[in-house]
Amino acid sequence: MKKLIFVTGGVCSSLGKGVTASSIGALMEARGLTVRMLKIDPYLNVDAGTMSPYQHGEVYVTDDGAETDLDLGNYGRFTSAPLSRENSITTGQVYKTVIEKERAGDFLGRTVQVIPHITDEIKRRILLVRDAPDVDITIVEIGGTVGDMESVPFLEAARQLIHECGRQNAISVHVTLVPSVSGGEIKTKPTQHAVKELQEVGIQPDVLVLRSKDPLDDSVRRKISSFTNVEFEGVISAYDLPTIYELPLVLNKQGADAFILKKMNVESRHAELGAWREVVDKIKHPARKVRIGIVGKYMELHDAYKSIWEALCHGGVANNAGVELVKIDSSRLEDANAKLDELFANIDGILVPGGFGERGIEGMILAARYAREHKLPYFGICLGMQVMVIEYARDIVGWEDAHSTEFSKTTTHPVVCLLEEQVNVKNYGGTMRLGANESVTKPDTKIRKAYGAERIVERHRHRYEVANTARPELEAKGLTISATTPDGELVEACEWNDNPWGVGVQFHPEFKSRPTKAHPLFKAFIAECVKQNEAKAGQ
């Protein structure tokens, strides 16, 4: 029978359930097994698309256009499991489906209740992923913390599936906190209480992943084992690491993957982890270092640009270079007293990521101008490309009020505007240009060289496009339109000709980057930044 692994969290949030689930997935794949990943989010939103980055971090987009939780990004970076809207479940989706069925009379007049109707819908969605052809193991991460009111129906559905499938076919992995107090004394009581709460909903954990600052010794693990009815081999120490990509190696060293497979009675080959060891070694011991200035809108919350940070790290791994991230709030550049030469001192490249809303836009435009004029490598993503076009239209073409209609309704030179089909959109959930779209790259361009291919497929998430009415003048003044949609109607990438690497793309390449296979654009961008750094060092 196909196997299920449920990953839950106790004590508090943000313990790393997503990275734990992803690492288990990576280990299962390293043993030759086929994995699927599934995230359950207990919020009432139907998806993450309309949520502020400050509320829930970045929105991760799948090929089929689903706007999902950022943990799916971890799944995509750690495993090769395909991701779609089926791999993301929210309370909003579940209740919406059940209510629509009730309105249609599908329940034949019966009283609709959390049990069995809500739990049955949750189970249906989990089994839809598990029962896909050629799948060996499905890993289900349940968001939130055990004890949260919102998580109760999902935990009940998990309990039912563990009971129905049998303990060899469905197991529980519980991530908890083992804090230390003043003097460094380790406290196991929070974990004991967290396990008790899980047991109270009818789930006995098979594996405990203990989050702590430092590695836990065997005496602590044995104490927790005796209090929780979890075998000693299943009590795993997951301590703070220099990089999250080391966690699969740490889990493997403690035998976590072997124990999980034993519990599920699954035979597999020895884990092949050479690629992960190489990644970790290059992150911890890079041959060189570069400093990348990221000029964005949501710098206060690290998770708002999670995939960007990781993709830059991957680009560093591909070039055996450590990447230092210099986060710059774009609003700072708009201050009349801002000294750009000081802000960008010792910066080897500038990246302007995506975002929504007017705040900080002029600062992004100044960053693009600084990169162009000082011939610094520049990488504009989504809004970062639009900013690049606006700056070029103002300074090179001479349209001083050039702007996007997203930010200025009165501009006489709208170089970025809504597509016609977006003009009258009133419902903002899932109505942008979303998911995988094909683009055609032009010969003799930086983007063609990076990909080594004429046709590419990348994921989009935006409403605004470069205005076709502005394209002739922009191109006449030297801006290269380096990629378009297959019909040539929409601009997908543009480049500065007199810059070592001035590239802007309308799509989001960061979503397809992995530590073991950096995205071609991030690999090429960091490579050029390395050249800049070495050239400055040689002066």
Side-chain angles (χ1 to χ4, degrees):
M1 180 182 280
K2 295 170 182 285
K3 309 297 182 178
L4 283 168
I5 300 175
F6 290 98
V7 179
T8 54
V11 184
C12 64
S13 60
S14 301
L15 288 180
K17 292 191 304 298
V19 174
T20 300
S22 301
S23 297
I24 293 171
L27 289 171
M28 296 299 107
E29 285 193 344
R31 288 175 171 269
L33 299 166
T34 303
V35 169
R36 290 293 182 273
M37 308 293 299
L38 197 156
K39 175 66 188 294
I40 291 174
D41 281 298
Y43 48 69
L44 278 168
N45 304 65
V46 173
D47 60 35
T50 58
M51 297 172 72
S52 165
Y54 291 118
Q55 285 280 313
H56 210 65
E58 76 170 6
V59 175
Y60 182 83
V61 179
T62 59
D63 278 347
D64 63 348
E67 296 174 285
T68 72
D69 181 82
L70 59 82
D71 275 318
L72 269 77
N74 282 324
Y75 305 161
R77 288 184 281 272
F78 278 76
T79 76
S80 58
L83 297 169
S84 70
R85 61 183 69 254
E86 291 178 353
N87 301 93
S88 175
I89 300 174
T90 69
T91 298
Q93 292 171 10
V94 171
Y95 275 79
K96 184 172 182 285
T97 297
V98 171
I99 290 169
E100 286 173 350
K101 287 182 177 180
E102 185 274 330
R103 292 288 83 189
D106 291 1
F107 297 116
L108 303 176
R110 290 190 294 270
T111 301
V112 180
Q113 297 175 288
V114 173
I115 302 173
H117 302 100
I118 295 298
T119 51
D120 281 354
E121 176 61 20
I122 295 167
K123 287 157 62 179
R124 183 190 71 81
R125 288 170 178 261
I126 292 172
L127 295 176
L128 182 68
V129 175
R130 187 203 68 173
D131 293 338
D134 303 322
V135 176
D136 297 314
I137 298 173
T138 299
I139 301 171
V140 183
E141 178 193 350
I142 301 178
T145 305
V146 173
D148 293 347
M149 185 182 298
E150 297 92 338
S151 300
V152 171
F154 299 105
L155 293 170
E156 171 60 19
R159 183 199 67 78
Q160 291 181 22
L161 283 171
I162 292 171
H163 175 70
E164 292 164 7
C165 298
R167 295 300 296 268
Q168 278 197 337
N169 299 311
I171 70 169
S172 165
V173 175
H174 198 42
V175 184
T176 73
L177 178 68
V178 180
S180 58
V181 293
S182 58
E185 183 183 0
I186 300 296
K187 291 296 182 181
T188 64
K189 193 66 72 176
T191 288
Q192 294 176 41
H193 283 297
V195 172
K196 185 179 179 181
E197 279 196 284
L198 188 62
Q199 291 169 335
E200 285 175 353
V201 300
I203 299 175
Q204 166 62 43
D206 299 282
V207 178
L208 288 179
V209 177
L210 308 177
R211 287 287 292 110
S212 59
K213 181 179 179 182
D214 300 306
L216 299 174
D217 61 34
D218 286 356
S219 64
V220 174
R221 293 170 58 211
R222 289 191 186 281
K223 179 181 178 181
I224 290 173
S225 171
S226 65
F227 276 105
T228 59
N229 293 330
V230 176
E231 295 173 57
F232 174 71
E233 291 81 6
V235 180
I236 308 299
S237 174
Y239 45 90
D240 292 351
L241 297 165
T243 169
I244 58 174
Y245 301 121
E246 193 172 356
L247 186 57
L249 303 180
V250 169
L251 297 182
N252 173 259
K253 186 176 181 180
Q254 296 179 65
D257 48 334
F259 180 78
I260 287 170
L261 292 174
K262 183 181 78 171
K263 294 292 288 187
M264 298 190 299
N265 196 27
V266 174
E267 293 185 2
S268 78
R269 72 186 187 200
H270 179 74
E272 300 291 341
L273 296 171
W276 286 102
R277 292 191 180 94
E278 184 179 351
V279 165
V280 171
D281 183 64
K282 286 183 176 179
I283 292 174
K284 294 170 74 171
H285 308 290
R288 56 191 69 85
K289 290 189 178 182
V290 293
R291 301 179 82 237
I292 307 299
I294 301 93
V295 182
K297 297 165 64 73
Y298 316 118
M299 290 310 183
E300 296 90 339
L301 181 65
H302 185 80
D303 281 350
Y305 292 121
K306 178 66 174 175
S307 291
I308 294 285
W309 312 136
E310 298 304 323
L312 286 168
C313 171
H314 307 162
V317 169
N319 289 281
N320 200 6
V323 177
E324 181 183 346
L325 306 174
V326 182
K327 302 176 184 179
I328 303 170
D329 191 312
S330 57
S331 299
R332 289 177 58 193
L333 277 61
E334 299 174 357
D335 191 309
N337 297 317
K339 297 179 180 179
L340 270 60
D341 285 332
E342 292 182 6
L343 282 170
F344 293 121
N346 301 315
I347 293 291
D348 301 307
I350 294 174
L351 186 149
V352 176
F356 297 89
E358 188 175 0
R359 181 182 64 83
I361 293 300
E362 293 300 324
M364 293 181 180
I365 292 170
L366 288 171
R369 180 167 299 170
Y370 187 93
R372 183 177 57 80
E373 291 179 344
H374 290 77
K375 300 193 183 305
L376 268 177
Y378 175 91
F379 194 3
I381 296 176
C382 198
L383 178 60
M385 186 199 83
Q386 296 173 5
V387 159
M388 182 180 176
V389 171
I390 293 167
E391 188 282 325
Y392 201 88
R394 288 182 183 180
D395 199 55
I396 302 301
V397 179
W399 297 334
E400 293 183 3
D401 73 334
H403 222 316
S404 166
T405 56
E406 180 181 4
F407 313 122
S408 173
K409 305 300 181 186
T410 59
T411 175
T412 59
H413 293 96
V415 295
V416 177
C417 60
L418 280 173
L419 290 175
E420 187 176 341
E421 59 264 30
Q422 291 282 338
V423 171
N424 295 314
V425 167
K426 302 299 181 185
N427 184 348
Y428 289 107
T431 55
M432 289 186 279
R433 186 179 172 208
L434 289 164
N437 287 269
E438 188 178 44
S439 304
V440 179
T441 63
K442 292 186 178 179
D444 302 319
T445 58
K446 297 178 182 71
I447 192 170
R448 170 68 73 86
K449 182 180 179 181
Y451 280 99
E454 179 185 6
R455 290 180 177 262
I456 58 174
V457 177
E458 295 285 0
R459 300 174 197 170
H460 293 66
R461 184 176 183 253
H462 59 95
R463 295 186 192 280
Y464 290 80
E465 306 276 358
V466 174
N468 284 329
T469 54
R471 281 172 63 178
E473 193 69 20
L474 288 166
E475 290 185 279
K477 291 292 185 177
L479 185 69
T480 296
I481 305 300
S482 53
T484 65
T485 49
D487 59 9
E489 286 298 310
L490 300 178
V491 174
E492 296 281 54
C494 62
E495 299 178 8
W496 296 323
N497 293 325
D498 58 349
N499 185 280
W501 211 86
V503 175
V505 295
Q506 185 60 77
F507 44 82
H508 288 270
E510 68 271 22
F511 292 149
K512 296 178 73 173
S513 188
R514 298 183 63 189
T516 53
K517 189 178 181 181
H519 189 282
L521 293 181
F522 282 90
K523 180 179 179 180
F525 174 59
I526 296 298
E528 190 57 49
C529 293
V530 168
K531 287 182 184 178
Q532 292 285 310
N533 178 276
E534 292 176 344
K536 284 186 287 187
Q539 289 178 353

